[in-house]
Amino acid sequence: MAVAFSWTGYVDTDLAFSEFFNGDHTITFRYMPQYPKGYEGPCVAENGTGTFALGQGTYFRAPDKSPLPSLPQMYFAIADQWRAVQAANLEPNRWYHLTVVSKFAAEARYFDLYLNAKWMGLVAISHSAPGMPSGTLRFGKRTTGKTINQRNAQFYGLLADVAIFTRALTKEEIATLAASAKGFTGSEAGLLAAYPLSS
């Protein structure tokens, strides 16, 4: 099962950031991009205030408008920070597994990115960074429908098996999820919410 997103398509949830964001947590999902060499398209984002966007990045330009190689990108924006990671092997109409693991420390919050269980980079933000997300989770589009540079942002493709955990999953657990297509039973340790999604 999956939900298909096209222009103006999104799905709102009633899961508030306040239920998981202020502690260790993990967000994981499967996605099938229709246009890997396309524009920014957040699979999971905020519906409220601040900035949170996780999913597909603009293949030819970074959020700060600096040029990038013409390769598919994976993209994560949180508060006033962002990271665009090259994902050269992304192809249309194939499933990929994306995970962000958040860990709290005294000095900052750390977000590790994984694509198909492979570590792709780290984003660190201070606890007082401006633009922390609030409100509820939305799939397929941000609150305003814009990128952090106010360009249109829409995910085109399929999204499935979104899950939010109130703990930091281990690399081994992420690898198990990426290799499995069984979805979630509801008994997984720390599972706060799961959205199998169906169109």
Side-chain angles (χ1 to χ4, degrees):
M1 294 189 297
V3 65
F5 293 90
S6 58
W7 181 239
T8 73
Y10 62 88
V11 173
D12 278 329
T13 77
D14 61 1
L15 182 63
F17 275 87
S18 60
E19 294 184 55
F20 64 89
F21 187 75
N22 293 318
D24 289 0
H25 63 272
T26 302
I27 300 174
T28 182
F29 57 86
R30 297 182 189 283
Y31 76 111
M32 179 186 289
Q34 187 176 2
Y35 305 109
K37 285 192 173 183
Y39 294 96
E40 181 185 320
C43 296
V44 177
E46 90 288 340
N47 179 29
T49 60
T51 298
F52 188 92
L54 176 62
Q56 182 174 319
T58 302
Y59 82 97
F60 63 89
R61 193 167 293 279
D64 64 358
K65 301 185 180 179
S66 61
L68 290 168
S70 295
L71 293 171
Q73 303 287 321
M74 156 184 154
Y75 176 69
F76 179 53
I78 176 75
D80 63 349
Q81 299 293 314
W82 61 267
R83 184 176 181 96
V85 180
Q86 291 183 15
N89 295 326
L90 288 184
E91 298 177 1
N93 305 316
R94 288 185 58 186
W95 284 106
Y96 298 93
H97 189 264
L98 192 55
T99 302
V100 60
V101 177
S102 175
K103 295 180 182 178
F104 264 50
E107 70 281 4
R109 309 173 189 219
Y110 296 91
F111 297 84
D112 284 289
L113 306 176
Y114 295 86
L115 181 63
N116 289 343
K118 178 183 177 183
W119 186 79
M120 299 292 283
L122 174 74
V123 174
I125 60 172
S126 71
H127 294 295
S128 59
M132 289 291 190
S134 65
T136 57
L137 278 183
R138 171 179 282 183
F139 305 144
K141 183 186 284 287
R142 290 188 57 226
T143 307
T144 62
K146 301 290 186 180
T147 69
I148 59 175
N149 282 319
Q150 298 304 306
R151 297 190 296 265
N152 287 329
Q154 171 72 56
F155 174 62
Y156 291 91
L158 300 179
L159 182 65
D161 296 332
V162 183
I164 294 85
F165 292 82
T166 55
R167 64 185 183 89
L169 296 188
T170 65
K171 294 179 182 178
E172 293 75 19
E173 289 173 316
I174 294 168
T176 298
L177 286 177
S180 174
K182 295 181 179 178
F184 300 94
T185 65
S187 62
E188 291 82 359
L191 181 64
L192 175 65
Y195 304 88
L197 299 175
S198 60
S199 56

